[in-house]
């Protein structure tokens, strides 16, 4: 699975000896743009993946099996295939549903170092065994986006630092979901100089405390977007404290997305960065103005919530541009349309699936928080 289509070049002779009598596991669309392989057959025809070598987007599922059989080709030097690998059209690659020896994963990354791949997604993988020793210099790919969902590592929390050493600099987007460990040893991480987006959504065990301790936010000096949907965030003050602890430069922009159902009093108070300018809490399910807001804002968007009365001046920060459209106290039918966006036959402006909280700092999407104070 993970050896295709790149290590496929290295392993092509043994793959072609596999019987082709089984059902074709790979499908290439008519435009030669997207190729999807699902190797669920007990005796999969791995050679079917050859057709994916002409595609721009490739998605390969290993059917939950171990790929240890391909370890014998992991020591092959991909440099001899450099021109062929570089000629491949693939720009986005998704690999999933397999048990992958760490040595084989590194061999794939080394081969990808000669490709023009821009985005790599690893999903539902179990990476087994120790990672190979640190190379003298990164020989892996220079892609811009790396996404990992439900990937377990035998090395535990050290996995990010060990993976990073095989990647060339320049990664701009890192998405980590359903992580088995976010307790990264920060001393083992190098700085992600170019990374602007860090998405830690769908890690419900992270929480406010984990955000402060685990993700080593100070290793991302260029961070502009931090996503935390369904990440166990409880309070606005908790997010503020985590970002303050990371000492992120104050001139950046922070956007938060979070459907907020309970506005409990803040357990702690946090001093927001003075450069914070805008906060968008539209469509957050707010029944009242949340406590713990920054004292002064240029823009505050409270539109499309459940406010039954106009907020009092003492409930609001000092703000230049306040938006309250789509609340029941202004539009009695707003609440019904929010609960059933198709009631009028069209999707109204308030029927957005996500909210945005914009602040000057980094981008945080906090969808699914239990409270926001």
């Amino acid at each position: 699975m993970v050896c295709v289509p790149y290590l496929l070049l290295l392993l092509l002779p043994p793959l072609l000896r596999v019987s082709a009598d089984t059902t074709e596991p790979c499908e290439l669309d008519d435009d030669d743009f997207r190729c999807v392989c699902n190797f669920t057959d007990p005796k999969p025809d791995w050679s079917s993946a050859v057709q994916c070598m002409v595609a721009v987007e490739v998605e390969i599922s290993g059917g939950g099996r171990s790929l240890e059989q391909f370890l014998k080709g992991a020591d092959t030097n991909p440099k001899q295939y450099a021109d062929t690998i570089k000629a491949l059209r693939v720009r986005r690659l998704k690999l999933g549903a397999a048990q992958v020896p760490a040595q084989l994963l590194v061999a794939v990354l080394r081969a990808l170092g000669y490709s023009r791949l821009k985005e790599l997604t690893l999903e539902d993988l179990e990476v087994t065994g120790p990672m190979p020793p640190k190379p003298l210099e990164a020989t892996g790919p220079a892609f811009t986006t790396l996404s990992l969902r439900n990937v377990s590592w035998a090395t535990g929390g050290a996995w990010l630092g060990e993976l990073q050493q095989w990647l060339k600099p320049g990664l701009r987007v890192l998405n980590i979901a359903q992580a088995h460990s976010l307790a990264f040893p920060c001393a083992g991480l190098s700085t992600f100089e170019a990374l602007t987006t860090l998405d830690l959504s769908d890690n419900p065990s992270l929480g406010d405390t984990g955000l402060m301790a685990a993700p080593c936010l100070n290793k991302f000096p260029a961070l502009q977007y931090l996503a935390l949907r369904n990440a166990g965030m409880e309070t606005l003050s908790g997010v503020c404290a985590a970002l303050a602890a990371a000492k992120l430069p104050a001139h950046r922009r922070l956007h938060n997305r979070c459907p907020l159902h309970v506005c409990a009093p803040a357990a702690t108070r946090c001093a927001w960065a003075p450069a914070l300018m805008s906060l968008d809490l539209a469509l957050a399910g707010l029944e009242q103005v949340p406590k713990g807001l920054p004292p002064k804002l240029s823009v505050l968007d409270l539109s499309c919530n459940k406010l039954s009365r106009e907020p009092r001046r003492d409930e609001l920060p000092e703000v230049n541009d306040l938006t309250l459209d789509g609340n029941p106290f202004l539009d009695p039918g707003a609440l019904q349309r929010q609960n059933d966006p198709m009631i009028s036959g069209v999707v109204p402006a308030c029927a957005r699936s996500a909210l945005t909280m914009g602040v000057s700092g980094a981008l945080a999407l906090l969808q699914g928080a239990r409270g926001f104070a």
Side-chain angles (χ1 to χ4, degrees):
M1 191 274 307
V2 294
C3 53
V4 191
Y6 303 100
L7 281 190
L8 177 63
L9 293 168
L10 317 181
L11 307 171
L12 195 55
L15 291 181
L16 290 178
R17 288 197 294 269
V18 179
S19 172
D21 295 335
T22 56
T23 304
E24 189 77 6
C26 297
E27 293 185 3
L28 178 67
D29 66 20
D30 293 338
D31 297 322
D32 292 347
F33 184 83
R34 179 173 173 78
C35 185
V36 177
C37 296
N38 192 357
F39 294 104
T40 57
D41 193 274
K43 295 182 179 180
D45 178 12
W46 297 104
S47 64
S48 174
V50 171
Q51 61 186 299
C52 293
M53 295 174 65
V54 300
V56 175
E57 294 184 356
V58 178
E59 180 175 337
I60 302 174
S61 172
R65 59 176 36 84
S66 171
L67 302 181
E68 191 170 353
Q69 62 177 305
F70 295 113
L71 267 177
K72 58 186 177 182
D75 293 332
T76 303
N77 186 354
K79 188 174 182 179
Q80 59 185 305
Y81 301 103
D83 292 340
T84 302
I85 296 174
K86 187 175 182 179
L88 297 174
R89 300 174 63 218
V90 67
R91 298 296 183 272
R92 288 177 290 278
L93 176 63
K94 180 178 180 179
L95 309 170
Q99 299 171 29
V100 186
Q103 184 180 352
L104 181 60
L105 176 62
V106 167
V108 173
L109 293 175
R110 290 175 58 216
L112 291 174
Y114 295 98
S115 75
R116 293 178 291 169
L117 189 72
K118 296 299 182 184
E119 300 178 14
L120 174 64
T121 298
L122 305 178
E123 185 171 303
D124 299 329
L125 291 184
E126 179 184 354
V127 182
T128 60
M131 295 286 281
K134 181 179 180 180
L136 295 178
E137 61 179 357
T139 57
F143 44 62
T144 57
T145 300
L146 174 63
S147 301
L148 303 101
R149 174 175 289 273
N150 189 28
V151 179
S152 65
W153 305 79
T155 53
W159 67 267
L160 182 58
E162 294 183 349
L163 178 63
Q164 181 189 29
Q165 65 190 15
W166 293 96
L167 306 179
K168 293 187 179 77
L171 187 67
R172 295 201 292 266
V173 178
L174 176 61
N175 306 314
I176 306 173
Q178 298 178 21
H180 292 236
S181 176
L182 286 172
F184 310 135
C186 296
L189 276 181
S190 299
T191 301
F192 288 84
E193 296 286 355
L195 196 135
T196 59
T197 298
L198 176 62
D199 190 340
L200 298 176
S201 299
D202 294 329
N203 289 293
S205 63
L206 180 61
D208 299 355
T209 304
L211 182 62
M212 293 183 66
C216 308
L217 294 179
N218 60 335
K219 296 293 185 177
F220 308 98
L223 188 65
Q224 296 179 3
Y225 304 101
L226 171 63
L228 297 166
R229 290 183 300 271
N230 187 30
M233 299 297 110
E234 304 238 356
T235 64
L236 182 58
S237 57
V239 178
C240 174
L243 296 175
K247 297 181 180 179
L248 293 174
H251 66 273
R252 299 199 172 82
R253 294 191 61 80
L254 168 65
H255 294 269
N256 248 344
R257 295 194 176 182
C258 185
L260 312 171
H261 304 293
V262 180
C263 295
T268 58
R269 296 295 176 184
C270 177
W272 289 93
L276 185 153
M277 296 183 299
S278 63
L279 180 60
D280 185 341
L281 292 174
L283 202 68
L286 296 172
E287 296 179 356
Q288 64 187 51
V289 178
K291 297 179 175 63
L293 293 174
K296 186 175 182 179
L297 291 168
S298 295
V299 177
L300 176 59
D301 189 347
L302 294 173
S303 62
C304 304
N305 279 291
K306 300 179 180 180
L307 303 180
S308 59
R309 60 171 177 81
E310 184 175 3
R312 299 191 307 270
R313 183 173 293 275
D314 61 1
E315 295 176 314
L316 296 169
E318 181 181 343
V319 59
N320 296 330
D321 185 356
L322 175 65
T323 304
L324 296 168
D325 298 341
N327 280 285
F329 79 90
L330 289 175
D331 180 1
L335 185 58
Q336 187 177 10
R337 287 195 297 272
Q338 289 178 37
N339 293 332
D340 186 0
M342 301 307 294
I343 195 169
S344 63
V346 295
V347 179
C350 285
R352 293 176 290 171
S353 61
L355 349 154
T356 324
M357 172 173 63
V359 258
S360 187
L363 169 75
L365 307 174
L366 301 163
Q367 198 164 9
R370 292 186 293 278
F372 211 84

